[in-house]
Amino acid sequence: QVQFVESGGGLVQPGGSLRLSCAASGFTFSGYPINWYRQGPGKERELVAIISNTGYSTNYADSVKGRFAISRDNAKNTVYLQMNSLKPEDTGVYYCSAVILEGTEWNPYRGQGTQVTVSS
């Protein structure tokens, strides 16, 4: 079945960096764009970054442009989110997700999330 497993979160000081990974399985990974989104404490869910199926096209939320970079390795069925110059407002649970075609239905999937805490 479709599965996403995020890793790489943790506690980091403001200005620091983290690299999140998302390992996917159960579908043709190279055929789908993948998203990273986050849910901060008391905040609405925010779409952080999107990458096309080939990796050639990416888009970012204004709040992370210039600081975050999304990439993918289709040979490893993995998407990455490099996060630099982290700020306290980047704190939250980060999820990778995609909408997968199964038969004639498009179904959304996401992982269990990985916690990122930016604090001194």
Side-chain angles (χ1 to χ4, degrees):
Q1 72 270 25
V2 175
Q3 201 169 19
F4 291 98
V5 179
E6 302 94 338
S7 61
L11 173 64
V12 63
Q13 292 188 340
S17 297
L18 282 174
R19 189 193 196 205
L20 306 184
S21 298
C22 169
S25 61
F27 65 103
T28 305
F29 181 77
S30 61
Y32 293 88
I34 306 293
N35 310 321
W36 279 101
Y37 69 92
R38 65 187 179 190
Q39 181 91 53
K43 295 183 180 180
E44 298 211 348
R45 188 173 71 180
E46 179 184 19
L47 181 61
V48 173
I50 306 170
I51 188 165
S52 65
N53 65 310
T54 61
Y56 291 147
S57 178
T58 58
N59 277 289
Y60 299 91
D62 288 343
S63 57
V64 306
K65 273 181 186 173
R67 300 188 297 122
F68 289 14
I70 188 171
S71 61
R72 68 191 293 162
D73 185 339
N74 283 348
K76 295 183 178 179
N77 284 10
T78 302
V79 176
Y80 306 96
L81 187 67
Q82 178 67 43
M83 307 187 296
N84 300 325
S85 302
L86 282 162
K87 304 175 182 180
E89 50 264 44
D90 293 319
T91 293
V93 181
Y94 284 69
Y95 303 89
C96 60
S97 71
V99 182
I100 307 299
L101 180 62
E102 298 180 295
T104 58
E105 292 186 355
W106 289 91
N107 296 313
Y109 289 92
R110 72 170 196 189
Q112 82 290 346
T114 185
Q115 176 70 46
V116 171
T117 303
V118 184
S119 175
S120 54

